[in-house]
Amino acid sequence: MPFEPVQPEKISQTVVRQIEQLILRGILKPGERLPSERELSERLGVSRPSLREALADLQDSGLLTSRAGAGVFVGDVLGSAFSDTLVRLFANHDEAVFDYIAFRRDMEGLAAERAATHGTDTDLAVIDTIFKKMAAAHTKRNPTEEAGLDADFHLSIIEASHNVIMLHMMRSMYQLLREGVFYNRQIMFKQRTTRDQLLDQHRIINDALQARDAIGARRAVEAHLTFVETALFEQDKAERNDAIAKKRLDHELRR
């Protein structure tokens, strides 16, 4: 039978596997700076030569990148799930916006259900902390900050679902959302009534998660994204009507 002697693993490979796991699970994020070589070797309990060998292997694989005088950083492991051509197509067609929201509703509803069931107490504490920051930004009437925390809140739920495929896929899609490819979230947060409704919806989601109510959390996320879909449809309808009215007015003025 083709058995072979087991070879002891090099310390550097153990380090490689640990850092790979942290990136895979989303604990180390793209662009995040690693601790200094001295601090990292102390935390891992390995010699600095073994650490350097591990970091070199990770840089060769593209998971880490070194910046002169700045340190070692997690590489851009996300990239984009879509080509630049397809991203431009998304940005120019409303159909993509509503398909995107429908996709999020399905995926994030599932993520919320999983987070309520599989999330650790620490995961739920992170979600609760972000919600409290959202509430604080709401009182300051800062739509830019509130919109940013909205994305962080939803991503923290996805992280708490502990599904690494979903995590990395949705992080890539949220990056497109932050860049305004699908729609401008800040417009929604500039409307006081809408902002109040969005905060209440996030509060309901958070309450369900903290209570570990899996079905309630899923339904709350789905209801929230249905509201977003409806608000965007009404906003799009109003913009179209304004454009028609302006066109008619210009026509009358030229007569």
Side-chain angles (χ1 to χ4, degrees), residues 13 15 19 40 48 55 64 74 90-91 96 100 103 124 134 137 143 145 162 168 171 179 187 209-210 233 235:
Q13 287 306 304
V15 174
I19 293 176
L40 194 54
R48 292 172 77 166
L55 295 180
L64 298 180
V74 178
F90 286 160
Y100 170 75
F103 180 79
L124 298 185
M134 286 182 68
E145 182 181 359
H162 293 282
H168 290 284
R171 271 190 181 168
E179 293 168 2
I187 292 176
L209 288 168
Q210 301 307 322
F233 178 80
Q235 177 185 313

Side-chain angles (χ1 to χ4, degrees), residues 35 40 44 72 79-80 150 180 183 185 211-212 231 236 248:
L40 194 54
L44 293 169
V72 177
S80 176
D150 169 76
Y183 60 91
R185 291 172 305 127
R212 293 194 177 275
D236 182 64
R248 285 175 178 169

Side-chain angles (χ1 to χ4, degrees), residues 197-234:
Q197 290 173 297
L198 289 171
L199 185 65
D200 286 342
Q201 290 162 16
H202 287 110
R203 180 180 290 108
I204 293 169
I205 294 169
N206 185 50
D207 287 348
L209 288 168
Q210 301 307 322
R212 293 194 177 275
D213 178 1
I215 301 302
R218 181 171 192 158
R219 288 175 177 168
V221 167
E222 291 172 345
H224 163 61
L225 287 167
T226 296
F227 172 84
V228 170
E229 181 181 48
T230 302
L232 286 173
F233 178 80
E234 293 299 327

Side-chain angles (χ1 to χ4, degrees), residues 16 19-21 23-24 28-32 34 55-66 72-78:
V16 166
I19 293 176
E20 285 177 342
Q21 284 288 328
I23 294 173
L24 178 66
L28 284 175
K29 300 176 176 62
E32 185 172 344
L34 267 61
L55 295 180
D57 288 345
L58 289 163
Q59 288 179 59
D60 288 342
S61 69
L63 288 175
L64 298 180
T65 181
S66 178
V72 177
F73 297 79
V74 178
D76 183 15
V77 295
L78 287 183

Side-chain angles (χ1 to χ4, degrees), residues 3-238:
F3 293 112
E4 296 180 1
V6 175
Q7 299 295 326
E9 186 175 54
K10 293 171 61 177
I11 292 176
S12 63
Q13 287 306 304
T14 304
V15 174
V16 166
R17 280 211 328 278
Q18 184 174 153
I19 293 176
E20 285 177 342
Q21 284 288 328
L22 292 174
I23 294 173
L24 178 66
R25 294 171 183 168
I27 298 170
L28 284 175
K29 300 176 176 62
E32 185 172 344
R33 184 181 181 277
L34 267 61
S36 67
E37 183 182 287
R38 178 179 179 179
E39 182 181 352
L40 194 54
S41 66
E42 290 175 354
R43 286 195 194 182
L44 293 169
V46 300
S47 68
R48 292 172 77 166
S50 292
L51 176 62
R52 289 191 198 107
E53 185 177 350
L55 295 180
D57 288 345
L58 289 163
Q59 288 179 59
D60 288 342
S61 69
L63 288 175
L64 298 180
T65 181
S66 178
R67 302 177 193 171
V72 177
F73 297 79
V74 178
D76 183 15
V77 295
L78 287 183
S80 176
F82 313 101
S83 68
D84 291 342
T85 302
L86 191 54
V87 168
R88 288 193 295 270
L89 191 62
F90 286 160
N92 292 325
H93 291 272
D94 292 340
E95 179 182 358
V97 173
F98 296 105
D99 281 351
Y100 170 75
I101 294 173
F103 180 79
R104 276 187 59 193
R105 184 164 48 226
D106 291 342
M107 290 297 100
E108 293 187 34
L110 176 60
E113 185 175 337
R114 286 181 56 86
T117 305
H118 302 293
T120 65
D121 290 344
T122 299
D123 291 328
L124 298 185
V126 168
I127 294 168
D128 188 55
T129 297
I130 295 173
F131 172 74
K132 288 174 180 175
K133 289 181 180 179
M134 286 182 68
H138 185 80
T139 60
K140 292 187 292 185
R141 299 184 181 181
N142 188 331
T144 301
E145 182 181 359
E146 200 169 353
L149 288 166
D150 169 76
D152 292 341
F153 179 79
H154 285 275
L155 280 171
S156 69
I157 294 173
I158 293 166
E159 289 171 354
S161 73
H162 293 282
N163 183 303
V164 296
I165 303 300
M166 183 186 294
L167 169 62
H168 290 284
M169 178 182 66
M170 294 304 293
R171 271 190 181 168
S172 178
M173 296 193 74
Y174 260 91
Q175 186 58 38
L176 296 181
L177 183 63
R178 289 181 190 273
E179 293 168 2
V181 170
F182 293 106
Y183 60 91
N184 188 339
R185 291 172 305 127
Q186 292 186 30
I187 292 176
M188 296 185 67
F189 283 97
K190 286 180 180 178
Q191 302 171 28
R192 181 54 191 261
T193 303
T194 303
R195 287 176 63 230
D196 290 345
Q197 290 173 297
L198 289 171
L199 185 65
D200 286 342
Q201 290 162 16
H202 287 110
R203 180 180 290 108
I204 293 169
I205 294 169
N206 185 50
D207 287 348
L209 288 168
Q210 301 307 322
R212 293 194 177 275
D213 178 1
I215 301 302
R218 181 171 192 158
R219 288 175 177 168
V221 167
E222 291 172 345
H224 163 61
L225 287 167
T226 296
F227 172 84
V228 170
E229 181 181 48
T230 302
L232 286 173
F233 178 80
E234 293 299 327
Q235 177 185 313
D236 182 64
K237 182 179 177 181

